Amino acid sequence: MADQPIPQETTKDPERVQTSNGTIWSLRAATRGGAGLYAPVEVRECPRLVMATLAELAEHGVKAVAA
């Protein structure tokens, strides 16, 4: 799954975030409840099963970054 824009009405989560270890994560999908699902930008295809939510990434320290 390549980086594809997520409709803004689907989730309010930022498009990209960076964890404290320097990894940049991009928004790839959203759950039915509207939580964004993220994968590292270096990973071209990532199954939803292994994507992380913003809450999960926040456990590692996270900040929004410019797209």
Side-chain angles (χ1 to χ4, degrees), residues 1-55:
M1 176 181 296
D3 272 341
Q4 298 174 351
I6 304 301
Q8 191 62 36
E9 63 275 1
T10 303
T11 183
K12 302 291 187 203
D13 291 341
E15 282 189 38
R16 290 182 181 228
V17 295
Q18 182 176 1
T19 49
S20 59
N21 68 358
T23 302
I24 298 178
W25 298 73
S26 62
L27 183 62
R28 305 288 182 90
T31 65
R32 288 186 195 138
L37 293 172
Y38 292 86
V41 294
E42 299 87 13
V43 177
R44 295 187 53 84
E45 293 187 24
C46 185
R48 284 177 172 248
L49 178 64
V50 296
M51 290 183 188
T53 65
L54 189 57

